Amino acid sequence: MTPSSSLVHKLEDYKPSPWLTPKLELRFDLDLHMTVVRADYDVVLSSETIQPLFLNGESLEFLSLRIDGAIVEPSEYQISPTGILILHPPKPNFRLTIENRISPAGNTSLEGLYKSGSMLCTQNEPEGFRKIVYSIDRPDNMMRFRVTIAGDLTLFPVMLSNGNLLEERVDAGKKEVIWEDPFPKPSYLFALVAGELVETKDTFITQSGRDITLKIYVEKGNEEKVSFAFESLKKAMRWDEDTFGLEYDLDLFMIVAVEDFNMGAMENKGLNLFNAKLVLADKKSATDESFEAILAVIAHEYFHNWTGNRVTLRNWFNLTLKEGLTVFRDQWFTEDMTDPAVKRIKDVLFLKEFQFPEDQGPMSHPILPKSYKEMNNFYTVTVYEKGAEVIRLVSELIGREKFKRGLKHYLSKYDGQGVTFEEFVSSMEEAAGNQIPYLRNWYHRSGTPLLSVKEHYAKDSNEWILDITDTGGNEYPLVFSNSLAVFDKEGQILKEEKRLMSGVRDQIRISALDTNGTKPIVSLFRSLSSPIRLDYNQSEEEKQILAKVETDGVSRFFAFQNLIFDWFQKSIVSGQEEYFSIILETIADSFGRNWDKTYHSFYLSFPGLTQISENIGCYEFQKIQKLRVWAVQTISTTFTNQFQVLFEENRKTIPIQTKEEIGKRRLKNISLYYLLYDATRKFERLAVAEQREAKHMSEEVSALKFLIEVDSKEKEKSVNLFFDKWKQDSLVLDIWFAAQVGTGENRLEITEQLENHPQFNVRNPNKVRSLYFSLARNPLTFHKEDGSGYSFLAKRIKILNEINPQMAAALTKLYSPVSKQKGELPQIAKRELETLASLPNLSKELGEIVGTILSSL
Ligand code: ZN
């Protein structure tokens, strides 16, 4: 490979690396501005003939290069902005020593080695390692790491890296440590942390009786907020043993909570780095949602130790091999720890709200992308969440027991290797004992499959016939798992079946003898047994029956949601509020059902603007908003008594994380939400009281958000009260920033005030997410007809392009739906994106996204 290898990386061009570096000794002499890094590599030729050796390196200050100890003449290498090319490596095996300098404090991209709060830390996935040291920075180059860290004792009393601590010494104010990781790993799994951190500790005994030390490192003052994270970690460790027989493989497992972090968390071997918001929690300052997110993400990163680290990737195209699989594992884990139906509802809602639109828009790509310019842009909901759906589909097709066997088989067969989705799929087929035709096409086809269903009655055979067609399936036919159930008009379940649909067509025949002659009511792809969209013209009455009696709680929930979307569809077209009683009746029915409280709260929650617009394919947000307010008010006045009762019944909650208490909080909050839409506004005092007397952050935040959403006259007081109480807690303030801009019209002015707030910081990704991402997800403001939202955000993206290209690019993805907007909006967006495209220092990250969206305009 040449240093200026073409801008686009293509899957079809993948070639194994001609050189490898199986062993590496790294030395860091830490300094905030001038850290010196030295790497000693064992270089090994892995192709037939000796050829030039290229090492990646970006933003590095080159110092020196030696081969087998001897300085290499400058005429023997070429340095470029992307790395160093050694023209004539002398032999197939040699030792290469290379030194460079970096400035962690000057690194605002938060990739490579950078400063956050009182620590230096790293983020290397996918290609950050090259910003630390010259290296063959690709996942198929596995290395045994030995890492020496040296630096000032007062600045860096804690010094961490992967694996085991071998040595530690202090001499004349200088500290030096040596870490060694016995497991070979690619560069992206390397981590280093150094700084003033508080260590907290726990232990775990594995199934085979080994003692594992668990440590969580936090900045001073946060040491009281780690107990939930420890509990989550221990649950995840136990679950992976119980479910898959997978045990942890080092004696030490560390987590570090980092304030400035571009993503959620990172699975570095033995040393996971986390966005602080996904570690720190106590009942006063964390919502139920953040507790659940902590449980899930701690598990996710821990599960990567096997699916990702022990068996890793051959190349970045195969990212979904570790991410889709690990998301599926963490979803399964949370299903087991909480409630399977509720967890599945949350996951499907997320998929529909974020992944389906991505897959229908300019960013659409297969879970195995064919090409990329900047890999950072491909940590997408498609690779992660659709990827997880494809793995779930495998488990549906072969059953969970065979899936477990298949996973164990895969992990033992490929332990220590970098592989592709093919090795995973064939392992599953080996466990299943048969091939799964068309499964591989799920990796190559983009877009959400749209399956159309046509039904008719066949007189001669006295059957009801459903013809299912995968409308876009000719190029890449797929395999589907179709869990279905048949009900009669009275809501009796007549039959349940799990069907395999292989290819573009399937035909389901239901004998009229089984339905007493009446038309059957069929529920297809229950619990979304395959990641598809359905075009199935069921009548309102049929949907309503399913919304009441479907025994699959997930499908029951979505049947009701579909009734709501149908109502919007009709009302938008007719321009008035259509017949609403079918929705009211269904809600009335739900009060008598005695469902699990959390489940019931989900059932009652009314879809938001973005969900509605995506589901009905309408982007006139003002109109949708008007109808939505009418609908919520109507529900509110119809069921005032019921909501009051639910509110009072669930008012006294205990601030603990149990299913019962979480359910009470949710049901109370949803009741309060509807009550606040009462036209008399007489229930606002309840929200005010909730906020003042809250024992749990979920109560406090809900009151705040609802008062803002209904534009209560108590709103300002509520906002100020919240701030005064929480001004010391940066993570809680993130919620406060978000709540003020995330809903409602004309939020640009308040956003401008808030970005000048002393506690806003554009260099902190959590703050950027709470302010700018929330704004861009508020359609009433962002997609306002005059285009002011687009121009406003573009100015911020321009600034972020210089500071943190990953954040700039991620924010720009929110322009994806602009081509669907009305009036001048697509043109205005085009103008703004073209301005970004011509920025003098346009980053690769931003350039790729802007280009992709522009090509859709
Ligand atoms: Zn992951």
Short mmCIF file of all heavy atoms in Angstrom, two decimals, residues 727-782:
data_model
loop_
_atom_site.label_atom_id
_atom_site.label_comp_id
_atom_site.label_asym_id
_atom_site.label_seq_id
_atom_site.Cartn_x
_atom_site.Cartn_y
_atom_site.Cartn_z
N LYS A 727 -26.50 22.86 39.70
CA LYS A 727 -25.44 23.57 38.96
C LYS A 727 -24.05 22.98 39.16
O LYS A 727 -23.15 23.22 38.35
CB LYS A 727 -25.47 25.06 39.27
CG LYS A 727 -25.44 25.46 40.73
CD LYS A 727 -25.44 26.99 40.81
CE LYS A 727 -25.49 27.47 42.24
NZ LYS A 727 -26.88 27.59 42.73
N GLN A 728 -23.88 22.18 40.21
CA GLN A 728 -22.57 21.58 40.44
C GLN A 728 -22.37 20.28 39.65
O GLN A 728 -21.28 19.73 39.63
CB GLN A 728 -22.36 21.23 41.92
CG GLN A 728 -22.71 22.32 42.89
CD GLN A 728 -21.78 23.51 42.76
OE1 GLN A 728 -20.81 23.49 42.00
NE2 GLN A 728 -22.11 24.58 43.48
N ASP A 729 -23.46 19.75 39.12
CA ASP A 729 -23.37 18.40 38.54
C ASP A 729 -23.50 18.48 37.02
O ASP A 729 -24.59 18.58 36.46
CB ASP A 729 -24.48 17.52 39.13
CG ASP A 729 -24.27 16.05 38.79
OD1 ASP A 729 -23.82 15.77 37.65
OD2 ASP A 729 -24.56 15.20 39.64
N SER A 730 -22.36 18.41 36.37
CA SER A 730 -22.32 18.62 34.93
C SER A 730 -23.20 17.63 34.16
O SER A 730 -23.83 17.98 33.16
CB SER A 730 -20.86 18.51 34.48
OG SER A 730 -20.77 18.49 33.12
N LEU A 731 -23.26 16.38 34.63
CA LEU A 731 -24.06 15.38 33.92
C LEU A 731 -25.55 15.69 34.00
O LEU A 731 -26.30 15.48 33.05
CB LEU A 731 -23.79 13.98 34.47
CG LEU A 731 -22.39 13.41 34.21
CD1 LEU A 731 -22.23 12.05 34.89
CD2 LEU A 731 -22.13 13.29 32.72
N VAL A 732 -25.98 16.18 35.16
CA VAL A 732 -27.39 16.54 35.29
C VAL A 732 -27.69 17.78 34.44
O VAL A 732 -28.76 17.88 33.82
CB VAL A 732 -27.78 16.76 36.77
CG1 VAL A 732 -29.24 17.18 36.88
CG2 VAL A 732 -27.52 15.51 37.58
N LEU A 733 -26.74 18.68 34.37
CA LEU A 733 -26.97 19.87 33.55
C LEU A 733 -27.14 19.53 32.07
O LEU A 733 -27.82 20.24 31.35
CB LEU A 733 -25.82 20.87 33.73
CG LEU A 733 -25.84 21.67 35.03
CD1 LEU A 733 -24.81 22.79 34.97
CD2 LEU A 733 -27.22 22.24 35.36
N ASP A 734 -26.55 18.43 31.65
CA ASP A 734 -26.76 18.00 30.26
C ASP A 734 -28.26 17.83 29.99
O ASP A 734 -28.75 18.20 28.92
CB ASP A 734 -26.05 16.67 29.98
CG ASP A 734 -24.53 16.84 29.93
OD1 ASP A 734 -24.06 17.99 29.78
OD2 ASP A 734 -23.83 15.82 30.07
N ILE A 735 -28.97 17.25 30.93
CA ILE A 735 -30.42 17.06 30.78
C ILE A 735 -31.11 18.42 30.74
O ILE A 735 -32.03 18.64 29.95
CB ILE A 735 -30.98 16.23 31.96
CG1 ILE A 735 -30.21 14.92 32.13
CG2 ILE A 735 -32.47 16.01 31.79
CD1 ILE A 735 -30.67 14.10 33.32
N TRP A 736 -30.63 19.31 31.56
CA TRP A 736 -31.22 20.66 31.65
C TRP A 736 -31.04 21.42 30.34
O TRP A 736 -31.98 22.04 29.83
CB TRP A 736 -30.53 21.37 32.82
CG TRP A 736 -30.98 22.77 33.11
CD1 TRP A 736 -32.11 23.14 33.79
CD2 TRP A 736 -30.28 23.98 32.76
NE1 TRP A 736 -32.16 24.52 33.88
CE2 TRP A 736 -31.05 25.06 33.26
CE3 TRP A 736 -29.09 24.26 32.09
CZ2 TRP A 736 -30.67 26.38 33.11
CZ3 TRP A 736 -28.70 25.58 31.94
CH2 TRP A 736 -29.49 26.63 32.44
N PHE A 737 -29.87 21.35 29.77
CA PHE A 737 -29.64 21.99 28.47
C PHE A 737 -30.59 21.38 27.43
O PHE A 737 -31.26 22.09 26.68
CB PHE A 737 -28.19 21.79 28.02
CG PHE A 737 -27.20 22.75 28.64
CD1 PHE A 737 -26.29 22.32 29.60
CD2 PHE A 737 -27.17 24.08 28.26
CE1 PHE A 737 -25.38 23.20 30.17
CE2 PHE A 737 -26.25 24.98 28.81
CZ PHE A 737 -25.35 24.54 29.77
N ALA A 738 -30.61 20.06 27.38
CA ALA A 738 -31.40 19.38 26.34
C ALA A 738 -32.88 19.70 26.45
O ALA A 738 -33.55 19.95 25.45
CB ALA A 738 -31.16 17.87 26.44
N ALA A 739 -33.39 19.70 27.67
CA ALA A 739 -34.83 19.87 27.86
C ALA A 739 -35.31 21.22 27.33
O ALA A 739 -36.44 21.35 26.86
CB ALA A 739 -35.18 19.74 29.35
N GLN A 740 -34.45 22.23 27.37
CA GLN A 740 -34.89 23.57 26.97
C GLN A 740 -34.95 23.79 25.47
O GLN A 740 -35.57 24.75 25.01
CB GLN A 740 -33.98 24.62 27.61
CG GLN A 740 -34.09 24.63 29.12
CD GLN A 740 -33.17 25.65 29.73
OE1 GLN A 740 -33.40 26.84 29.62
NE2 GLN A 740 -32.11 25.18 30.37
N VAL A 741 -34.29 22.91 24.71
CA VAL A 741 -34.28 23.13 23.27
C VAL A 741 -34.87 21.97 22.47
O VAL A 741 -35.08 22.09 21.27
CB VAL A 741 -32.84 23.41 22.76
CG1 VAL A 741 -32.26 24.61 23.50
CG2 VAL A 741 -31.93 22.19 22.94
N GLY A 742 -35.13 20.85 23.16
CA GLY A 742 -35.50 19.61 22.47
C GLY A 742 -36.93 19.56 21.96
O GLY A 742 -37.26 18.73 21.12
N THR A 743 -37.82 20.43 22.47
CA THR A 743 -39.20 20.45 21.98
C THR A 743 -39.61 21.90 21.72
O THR A 743 -38.97 22.83 22.22
CB THR A 743 -40.19 19.86 23.02
OG1 THR A 743 -40.05 20.58 24.25
CG2 THR A 743 -39.93 18.38 23.25
N GLY A 744 -40.66 22.05 20.95
CA GLY A 744 -41.25 23.37 20.75
C GLY A 744 -40.69 24.16 19.59
O GLY A 744 -39.68 23.80 18.99
N GLU A 745 -41.40 25.25 19.28
CA GLU A 745 -41.00 26.09 18.15
C GLU A 745 -40.01 27.16 18.61
O GLU A 745 -39.92 27.49 19.78
CB GLU A 745 -42.24 26.81 17.61
CG GLU A 745 -43.20 25.91 16.88
CD GLU A 745 -44.40 26.70 16.37
OE1 GLU A 745 -44.19 27.60 15.56
OE2 GLU A 745 -45.52 26.39 16.82
N ASN A 746 -39.29 27.68 17.65
CA ASN A 746 -38.45 28.86 17.88
C ASN A 746 -37.49 28.71 19.05
O ASN A 746 -37.46 29.53 19.96
CB ASN A 746 -39.32 30.10 18.10
CG ASN A 746 -40.23 30.33 16.93
OD1 ASN A 746 -39.83 30.11 15.77
ND2 ASN A 746 -41.46 30.72 17.20
N ARG A 747 -36.72 27.69 19.02
CA ARG A 747 -35.78 27.49 20.12
C ARG A 747 -34.36 27.99 19.80
O ARG A 747 -33.42 27.71 20.54
CB ARG A 747 -35.72 26.00 20.50
CG ARG A 747 -37.01 25.47 21.08
CD ARG A 747 -37.35 26.12 22.42
NE ARG A 747 -38.43 25.44 23.09
CZ ARG A 747 -39.63 25.95 23.32
NH1 ARG A 747 -39.93 27.18 22.92
NH2 ARG A 747 -40.55 25.24 23.95
N LEU A 748 -34.21 28.73 18.72
CA LEU A 748 -32.86 29.19 18.37
C LEU A 748 -32.34 30.22 19.37
O LEU A 748 -31.17 30.18 19.75
CB LEU A 748 -32.84 29.78 16.95
CG LEU A 748 -33.22 28.82 15.83
CD1 LEU A 748 -33.06 29.49 14.47
CD2 LEU A 748 -32.37 27.55 15.88
N GLU A 749 -33.24 31.09 19.78
CA GLU A 749 -32.81 32.15 20.68
C GLU A 749 -32.31 31.57 22.00
O GLU A 749 -31.24 31.94 22.49
CB GLU A 749 -33.99 33.08 20.92
CG GLU A 749 -33.59 34.49 21.27
CD GLU A 749 -34.84 35.35 21.40
OE1 GLU A 749 -35.65 35.38 20.44
OE2 GLU A 749 -35.02 35.93 22.48
N ILE A 750 -33.08 30.67 22.56
CA ILE A 750 -32.67 30.08 23.83
C ILE A 750 -31.39 29.26 23.65
O ILE A 750 -30.52 29.24 24.52
CB ILE A 750 -33.82 29.25 24.47
CG1 ILE A 750 -33.39 28.57 25.77
CG2 ILE A 750 -34.36 28.20 23.55
CD1 ILE A 750 -33.46 29.48 26.95
N THR A 751 -31.26 28.64 22.49
CA THR A 751 -30.01 27.90 22.24
C THR A 751 -28.82 28.85 22.26
O THR A 751 -27.76 28.53 22.82
CB THR A 751 -30.08 27.17 20.88
OG1 THR A 751 -31.27 26.39 20.83
CG2 THR A 751 -28.88 26.26 20.69
N GLU A 752 -29.02 30.00 21.67
CA GLU A 752 -27.95 30.99 21.64
C GLU A 752 -27.58 31.45 23.06
O GLU A 752 -26.41 31.60 23.39
CB GLU A 752 -28.36 32.17 20.78
CG GLU A 752 -27.24 32.66 19.93
CD GLU A 752 -27.71 33.55 18.80
OE1 GLU A 752 -28.91 33.49 18.42
OE2 GLU A 752 -26.89 34.32 18.30
N GLN A 753 -28.60 31.66 23.86
CA GLN A 753 -28.31 32.02 25.26
C GLN A 753 -27.56 30.90 25.96
O GLN A 753 -26.61 31.13 26.68
CB GLN A 753 -29.61 32.29 26.02
CG GLN A 753 -30.27 33.61 25.69
CD GLN A 753 -31.69 33.66 26.26
OE1 GLN A 753 -31.99 33.02 27.28
NE2 GLN A 753 -32.57 34.38 25.58
N LEU A 754 -28.02 29.69 25.71
CA LEU A 754 -27.42 28.57 26.45
C LEU A 754 -25.99 28.28 25.99
O LEU A 754 -25.17 27.83 26.78
CB LEU A 754 -28.30 27.32 26.31
CG LEU A 754 -29.61 27.38 27.10
CD1 LEU A 754 -30.48 26.18 26.76
CD2 LEU A 754 -29.35 27.43 28.60
N GLU A 755 -25.68 28.52 24.74
CA GLU A 755 -24.30 28.23 24.33
C GLU A 755 -23.33 29.26 24.89
O GLU A 755 -22.13 29.05 24.91
CB GLU A 755 -24.18 28.08 22.80
CG GLU A 755 -24.43 29.31 22.03
CD GLU A 755 -24.49 29.06 20.52
OE1 GLU A 755 -24.14 27.97 20.05
OE2 GLU A 755 -24.90 29.99 19.81
N ASN A 756 -23.89 30.38 25.39
CA ASN A 756 -23.04 31.35 26.08
C ASN A 756 -23.07 31.17 27.59
O ASN A 756 -22.47 31.95 28.32
CB ASN A 756 -23.48 32.77 25.72
CG ASN A 756 -23.18 33.08 24.27
OD1 ASN A 756 -22.06 32.84 23.81
ND2 ASN A 756 -24.17 33.55 23.54
N HIS A 757 -23.78 30.16 28.02
CA HIS A 757 -23.84 29.86 29.46
C HIS A 757 -22.46 29.40 29.93
O HIS A 757 -21.79 28.65 29.23
CB HIS A 757 -24.88 28.76 29.68
CG HIS A 757 -25.25 28.57 31.10
ND1 HIS A 757 -24.44 27.89 31.98
CD2 HIS A 757 -26.33 28.97 31.81
CE1 HIS A 757 -25.02 27.88 33.17
NE2 HIS A 757 -26.17 28.52 33.10
N PRO A 758 -22.03 29.87 31.12
CA PRO A 758 -20.69 29.47 31.58
C PRO A 758 -20.48 27.96 31.65
O PRO A 758 -19.35 27.49 31.54
CB PRO A 758 -20.58 30.10 32.97
CG PRO A 758 -21.92 30.65 33.30
CD PRO A 758 -22.67 30.83 32.02
N GLN A 759 -21.55 27.21 31.81
CA GLN A 759 -21.35 25.76 31.91
C GLN A 759 -21.52 25.02 30.59
O GLN A 759 -21.43 23.80 30.56
CB GLN A 759 -22.23 25.18 33.01
CG GLN A 759 -21.43 25.13 34.32
CD GLN A 759 -22.30 25.26 35.52
OE1 GLN A 759 -22.96 26.28 35.73
NE2 GLN A 759 -22.31 24.21 36.32
N PHE A 760 -21.72 25.76 29.54
CA PHE A 760 -21.68 25.12 28.23
C PHE A 760 -20.23 25.11 27.74
O PHE A 760 -19.47 26.04 28.01
CB PHE A 760 -22.56 25.85 27.21
CG PHE A 760 -22.54 25.18 25.86
CD1 PHE A 760 -23.27 24.03 25.63
CD2 PHE A 760 -21.73 25.67 24.83
CE1 PHE A 760 -23.23 23.39 24.40
CE2 PHE A 760 -21.68 25.04 23.60
CZ PHE A 760 -22.42 23.89 23.38
N ASN A 761 -19.84 24.06 27.05
CA ASN A 761 -18.48 23.97 26.55
C ASN A 761 -18.50 23.18 25.26
O ASN A 761 -18.78 21.99 25.26
CB ASN A 761 -17.60 23.29 27.61
CG ASN A 761 -16.20 23.03 27.09
OD1 ASN A 761 -15.83 23.46 25.99
ND2 ASN A 761 -15.42 22.32 27.90
N VAL A 762 -18.19 23.86 24.18
CA VAL A 762 -18.30 23.23 22.87
C VAL A 762 -17.27 22.11 22.67
O VAL A 762 -17.39 21.29 21.78
CB VAL A 762 -18.22 24.32 21.76
CG1 VAL A 762 -16.81 24.84 21.64
CG2 VAL A 762 -18.72 23.79 20.43
N ARG A 763 -16.27 22.08 23.53
CA ARG A 763 -15.27 21.00 23.44
C ARG A 763 -15.72 19.73 24.13
O ARG A 763 -15.07 18.70 24.03
CB ARG A 763 -13.95 21.45 24.06
CG ARG A 763 -13.35 22.52 23.21
CD ARG A 763 -12.07 23.07 23.76
NE ARG A 763 -11.70 24.14 22.85
CZ ARG A 763 -10.50 24.28 22.31
NH1 ARG A 763 -9.54 23.43 22.59
NH2 ARG A 763 -10.27 25.26 21.47
N ASN A 764 -16.79 19.82 24.88
CA ASN A 764 -17.27 18.63 25.59
C ASN A 764 -18.42 17.99 24.79
O ASN A 764 -19.49 18.58 24.64
CB ASN A 764 -17.75 19.02 26.99
CG ASN A 764 -18.38 17.84 27.71
OD1 ASN A 764 -19.60 17.70 27.75
ND2 ASN A 764 -17.55 16.97 28.23
N PRO A 765 -18.21 16.79 24.27
CA PRO A 765 -19.23 16.16 23.41
C PRO A 765 -20.59 16.00 24.09
O PRO A 765 -21.62 16.13 23.42
CB PRO A 765 -18.63 14.80 23.06
CG PRO A 765 -17.16 15.03 23.14
CD PRO A 765 -16.97 15.99 24.28
N ASN A 766 -20.62 15.75 25.38
CA ASN A 766 -21.92 15.62 26.04
C ASN A 766 -22.70 16.93 25.97
O ASN A 766 -23.93 16.93 25.81
CB ASN A 766 -21.77 15.18 27.50
CG ASN A 766 -21.38 13.71 27.61
OD1 ASN A 766 -21.37 12.99 26.61
ND2 ASN A 766 -21.05 13.27 28.81
N LYS A 767 -21.99 18.03 26.09
CA LYS A 767 -22.67 19.33 26.01
C LYS A 767 -23.13 19.58 24.57
O LYS A 767 -24.23 20.07 24.33
CB LYS A 767 -21.73 20.45 26.46
CG LYS A 767 -21.44 20.45 27.96
CD LYS A 767 -22.63 20.93 28.77
CE LYS A 767 -22.38 20.83 30.27
NZ LYS A 767 -22.34 19.45 30.77
N VAL A 768 -22.30 19.24 23.61
CA VAL A 768 -22.68 19.40 22.20
C VAL A 768 -23.92 18.56 21.91
O VAL A 768 -24.85 19.00 21.24
CB VAL A 768 -21.51 19.01 21.29
CG1 VAL A 768 -21.95 18.93 19.83
CG2 VAL A 768 -20.38 20.02 21.43
N ARG A 769 -23.91 17.34 22.43
CA ARG A 769 -25.08 16.48 22.21
C ARG A 769 -26.31 17.08 22.87
O ARG A 769 -27.39 17.12 22.28
CB ARG A 769 -24.83 15.07 22.76
CG ARG A 769 -24.06 14.17 21.79
CD ARG A 769 -23.90 12.76 22.35
NE ARG A 769 -22.78 12.68 23.27
CZ ARG A 769 -21.56 12.24 22.93
NH1 ARG A 769 -21.32 11.80 21.71
NH2 ARG A 769 -20.58 12.21 23.82
N SER A 770 -26.18 17.55 24.12
CA SER A 770 -27.40 18.00 24.79
C SER A 770 -27.94 19.28 24.16
O SER A 770 -29.15 19.47 24.12
CB SER A 770 -27.24 18.16 26.30
OG SER A 770 -26.03 18.71 26.62
N LEU A 771 -27.09 20.13 23.63
CA LEU A 771 -27.62 21.35 23.05
C LEU A 771 -27.88 21.21 21.54
O LEU A 771 -29.00 21.32 21.08
CB LEU A 771 -26.66 22.52 23.32
CG LEU A 771 -27.30 23.89 23.28
CD1 LEU A 771 -28.46 23.97 24.24
CD2 LEU A 771 -26.28 24.97 23.61
N TYR A 772 -26.85 20.95 20.78
CA TYR A 772 -27.01 20.99 19.31
C TYR A 772 -27.75 19.77 18.77
O TYR A 772 -28.57 19.89 17.86
CB TYR A 772 -25.65 21.13 18.63
CG TYR A 772 -24.91 22.39 18.99
CD1 TYR A 772 -23.53 22.44 19.01
CD2 TYR A 772 -25.61 23.56 19.33
CE1 TYR A 772 -22.84 23.60 19.34
CE2 TYR A 772 -24.94 24.72 19.66
CZ TYR A 772 -23.55 24.74 19.67
OH TYR A 772 -22.88 25.88 20.00
N PHE A 773 -27.46 18.60 19.27
CA PHE A 773 -28.18 17.42 18.78
C PHE A 773 -29.65 17.50 19.18
O PHE A 773 -30.53 17.16 18.39
CB PHE A 773 -27.56 16.11 19.28
CG PHE A 773 -26.32 15.69 18.52
CD1 PHE A 773 -25.13 16.38 18.69
CD2 PHE A 773 -26.35 14.63 17.64
CE1 PHE A 773 -23.98 16.02 17.99
CE2 PHE A 773 -25.21 14.25 16.92
CZ PHE A 773 -24.03 14.95 17.11
N SER A 774 -29.92 17.94 20.39
CA SER A 774 -31.33 18.05 20.81
C SER A 774 -32.06 19.04 19.93
O SER A 774 -33.21 18.82 19.54
CB SER A 774 -31.42 18.50 22.27
OG SER A 774 -30.73 17.60 23.09
N LEU A 775 -31.39 20.14 19.62
CA LEU A 775 -32.01 21.14 18.76
C LEU A 775 -32.31 20.56 17.38
O LEU A 775 -33.40 20.73 16.83
CB LEU A 775 -31.06 22.34 18.61
CG LEU A 775 -31.60 23.48 17.77
CD1 LEU A 775 -32.63 24.27 18.57
CD2 LEU A 775 -30.48 24.39 17.29
N ALA A 776 -31.34 19.84 16.83
CA ALA A 776 -31.51 19.30 15.48
C ALA A 776 -32.54 18.16 15.46
O ALA A 776 -33.04 17.79 14.40
CB ALA A 776 -30.18 18.81 14.93
N ARG A 777 -32.85 17.61 16.63
CA ARG A 777 -33.88 16.57 16.69
C ARG A 777 -35.24 17.16 17.06
O ARG A 777 -36.18 16.41 17.28
CB ARG A 777 -33.48 15.50 17.71
CG ARG A 777 -32.28 14.70 17.26
CD ARG A 777 -32.30 13.29 17.83
NE ARG A 777 -31.26 12.51 17.22
CZ ARG A 777 -30.08 12.26 17.79
NH1 ARG A 777 -29.82 12.70 19.00
NH2 ARG A 777 -29.17 11.53 17.16
N ASN A 778 -35.28 18.46 17.15
CA ASN A 778 -36.55 19.13 17.40
C ASN A 778 -37.06 19.66 16.06
O ASN A 778 -36.65 20.71 15.60
CB ASN A 778 -36.31 20.28 18.39
CG ASN A 778 -37.51 21.21 18.51
OD1 ASN A 778 -38.49 21.10 17.77
ND2 ASN A 778 -37.42 22.14 19.43
N PRO A 779 -37.95 18.91 15.42
CA PRO A 779 -38.31 19.25 14.03
C PRO A 779 -38.99 20.60 13.90
O PRO A 779 -38.83 21.27 12.88
CB PRO A 779 -39.24 18.10 13.61
CG PRO A 779 -39.68 17.45 14.87
CD PRO A 779 -38.64 17.70 15.90
N LEU A 780 -39.76 21.01 14.92
CA LEU A 780 -40.48 22.28 14.79
C LEU A 780 -39.51 23.44 14.63
O LEU A 780 -39.76 24.39 13.89
CB LEU A 780 -41.37 22.51 16.01
CG LEU A 780 -42.62 21.65 16.07
CD1 LEU A 780 -43.34 21.85 17.40
CD2 LEU A 780 -43.55 21.95 14.90
N THR A 781 -38.37 23.36 15.31
CA THR A 781 -37.38 24.43 15.18
C THR A 781 -36.41 24.16 14.05
O THR A 781 -36.15 25.03 13.22
CB THR A 781 -36.61 24.60 16.51
OG1 THR A 781 -37.51 25.04 17.51
CG2 THR A 781 -35.50 25.62 16.36
N PHE A 782 -35.89 22.93 13.99
CA PHE A 782 -34.83 22.67 13.01
C PHE A 782 -35.34 22.74 11.57
O PHE A 782 -34.68 23.30 10.69
CB PHE A 782 -34.18 21.30 13.29
CG PHE A 782 -32.99 21.01 12.41
CD1 PHE A 782 -31.92 21.90 12.34
CD2 PHE A 782 -32.94 19.85 11.64
CE1 PHE A 782 -30.81 21.64 11.52
CE2 PHE A 782 -31.83 19.57 10.83
CZ PHE A 782 -30.78 20.48 10.78
#
